């Protein structure tokens, strides 16, 4: 078995994170366009902070195939629903705020889990799904919100 030169091995472990960070500004906008985030940002981009309850490190799914795993922050307050990504993926992903009046929600079973699928009045055709358990936590800890109030128990 051939041995790997220790210098090459060390360079590999140093270069991979550096290359990943360097590629991120290109990957973020591409991800945002493919998922629908960019379309939502045209109507719902925000600079305001969520004044209510937040859940971090959550997952969500745009459409049927574009998943964001463990990088989302979900927030709720009396005005609406907030969505943002962790700092590493901020490129192309401005924070989003959806007023409650713009959200339609329905329950759906996908990938053997219960999800709540959101549709947005100003951007028809783009859907965002979050785990039903996260919706229940947002309601329990943050208050009962119009778009999320029909969902009870898991």
């Amino acid at each position: 078995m051939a041995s790997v030169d220790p210098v090459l091995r060390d360079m590999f472990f140093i270069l991979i994170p550096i290359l990943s960070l360097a590629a991120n500004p290109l990957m973020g906008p591409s991800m945002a366009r493919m998922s629908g985030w960019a379309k939502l940002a045209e109507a719902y981009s925000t600079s305001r902070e969520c004044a209510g309850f937040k859940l971090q490190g959550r997952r969500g799914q745009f459409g049927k195939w574009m998943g964001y795993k463990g990088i989302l922050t979900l927030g709720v307050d009396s005005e609406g629903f907030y969505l943002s990504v962790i700092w590493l993926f901020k490129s192309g992903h401005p924070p989003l705020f959806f007023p409650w009046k713009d959200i339609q929600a329905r329950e759906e079973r996908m990938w053997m889990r219960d999800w709540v699928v959101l549709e947005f009045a100003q951007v028809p055709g783009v859907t965002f799904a979050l785990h039903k358990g996260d919706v229940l936590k947002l309601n329990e800890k943050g208050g009962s919100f119009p778009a999320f109030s029909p969902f009870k128990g898991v």
Side-chain angles (χ1 to χ4, degrees):
M1 182 173 357
S3 68
V4 176
D5 182 354
V7 173
L8 287 175
R9 184 192 65 227
D10 292 344
M11 284 180 60
F12 175 79
F13 286 109
I14 292 169
L15 285 176
I16 291 300
I18 291 170
L19 290 174
S20 296
L21 287 173
N24 188 45
L26 302 174
M27 291 181 348
S30 295
M31 251 175 77
R33 280 191 304 278
M34 288 188 299
S35 68
W37 193 294
K39 284 184 183 177
L40 290 171
E42 290 173 15
Y44 295 108
S45 182
T46 188
S47 59
R48 62 193 255 195
E49 287 289 319
C50 176
F53 180 72
K54 291 189 263 188
L55 292 172
Q56 296 180 325
R58 299 304 190 206
R59 63 175 41 202
Q61 184 168 310
F62 286 89
K64 295 283 184 195
W65 306 107
M66 191 64 175
Y68 284 66
K69 294 176 175 67
I71 65 169
L72 297 175
T73 297
L74 312 173
V76 290
D77 64 23
S78 62
E79 302 295 317
F81 174 65
Y82 292 81
L83 184 61
S84 64
V85 295
I86 62 172
W87 68 270
L88 189 59
F89 294 93
K90 287 273 188 216
S91 176
H93 292 85
L96 305 174
F97 168 74
F98 308 96
W100 290 120
K101 67 179 178 57
D102 281 12
I103 300 173
Q104 290 291 316
R106 71 178 187 279
E107 198 169 342
E108 193 172 306
R109 189 145 179 92
M110 295 184 292
W111 308 105
M112 297 174 33
R113 296 201 64 174
D114 292 324
W115 295 76
V116 174
V117 179
L118 307 180
E119 296 182 58
F120 310 98
Q122 294 183 45
V123 188
V126 175
T127 61
F128 173 70
L130 59 158
H131 289 157
K132 183 177 177 183
D134 287 340
V135 169
L136 296 174
K137 281 182 193 160
L138 290 168
N139 264 347
E140 176 190 333
K141 303 286 187 184
S144 185
F145 302 105
F148 294 164
S149 60
F151 307 104
K152 309 280 186 226
V154 177

